[in-house]
């Protein structure tokens, strides 16, 4: 069988293998690719303001009592200690790493028990980063939690 195999056959075999590899990369490989969203559409502008986020996280790290979250059947409840908020508005971001369409960004009011409820109907199964931002005495605060919603 290999008696009639010449260098011309080798070139054709090499080109055929190369074309098959390229077709595999074009049609088959992208189907297995996972969805990877950008963290932000305004990445460079956000990077310039990142020092503010670092300061807010450092301010929150110095608190003796921080807001806590709990997963309840109605959704995610964030409970603030009574001493924390001067103003009753809190910015909440549920950041979904694999799909930006599932992000939840809201500015919410604290209720009488100093808590906030993110309803379960706006949360899909998966992994989130919960970012809670507020201000007290004109100082910004931010705490981040990793949340796995089932």
């Amino acid at each position: 069988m290999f008696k009639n195999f010449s260098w011309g056959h080798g070139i054709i075999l090499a080109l055929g293998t190369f074309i098959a590899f390229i077709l595999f990369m074009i049609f088959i490989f992208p189907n297995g690719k996972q969805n990877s969203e950008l963290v932000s559409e305004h990445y460079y502008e956000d990077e310039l303001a990142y020092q503010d986020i670092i300061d807010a996280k450092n301010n929150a790290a110095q608190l003796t009592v921080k807001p806590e979250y709990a997963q309840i059947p109605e959704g995610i409840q964030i409970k603030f200690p009574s001493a924390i908020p001067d103003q009753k508005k809190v910015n909440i971001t549920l950041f979904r790493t694999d799909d930006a369409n599932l992000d939840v960004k809201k500015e919410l009011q604290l209720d009488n028990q100093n808590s906030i409820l993110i309803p379960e109907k706006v949360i899909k199964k998966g992994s989130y980063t919960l970012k809670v931002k507020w201000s007290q005495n004109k100082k910004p605060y931010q705490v981040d939690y990793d949340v796995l919603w089932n």
Side-chain angles (χ1 to χ4, degrees):
M1 174 174 175
F2 289 108
K3 288 183 182 180
N4 295 333
F5 193 78
S6 68
W7 63 271
H9 293 111
I11 290 176
I12 290 174
L13 182 64
L15 283 175
T17 306
F18 179 70
I19 290 171
F21 173 73
I22 295 298
L23 290 174
F24 171 79
M25 294 301 284
I26 291 172
F27 294 113
I28 306 297
F29 186 69
N31 292 339
K33 182 179 162 188
Q34 290 185 357
N35 189 10
S36 57
E37 301 285 335
L38 288 174
V39 172
S40 171
E41 292 293 324
H42 309 288
Y43 177 77
Y44 293 108
E45 293 86 358
D46 291 347
E47 275 300 311
L48 294 174
Y50 195 69
Q51 185 61 45
D52 297 335
I53 295 172
I54 293 171
D55 293 341
K57 286 183 179 183
N58 287 339
N59 291 340
Q62 294 173 359
L63 293 173
T64 55
V65 182
K66 298 176 182 76
E68 296 177 354
Y69 81 94
Q71 294 185 22
I72 58 174
E74 295 84 22
I76 296 176
Q77 182 180 34
I78 304 163
K79 191 143 184 89
F80 281 82
S82 58
I84 284 188
D86 285 345
Q87 61 185 26
K88 296 288 186 175
K89 291 188 180 186
V90 178
N91 288 320
I92 302 295
T93 303
L94 263 176
F95 174 71
R96 180 75 178 250
T97 54
D98 63 346
D99 191 357
N101 295 324
L102 298 177
D103 287 356
V104 177
K105 297 178 184 178
K106 298 212 181 248
E107 181 177 62
L108 300 172
Q109 288 283 118
L110 292 175
D111 61 11
N112 294 337
Q113 289 86 24
N114 278 349
S115 66
I116 293 173
L117 179 67
I118 302 171
E120 57 93 17
K121 64 182 175 185
V122 299
I123 309 169
K124 303 291 183 207
K125 260 187 179 181
S127 177
Y128 289 90
T129 300
L130 174 63
K131 298 180 180 185
V132 182
K133 302 174 191 172
W134 75 97
S135 64
Q136 180 181 3
N137 299 328
K138 297 185 181 180
K139 284 175 68 173
Y141 293 87
Q142 178 176 339
V143 291
D144 295 351
Y145 301 104
D146 291 328
V147 177
L148 181 61
W149 183 256
N150 295 325

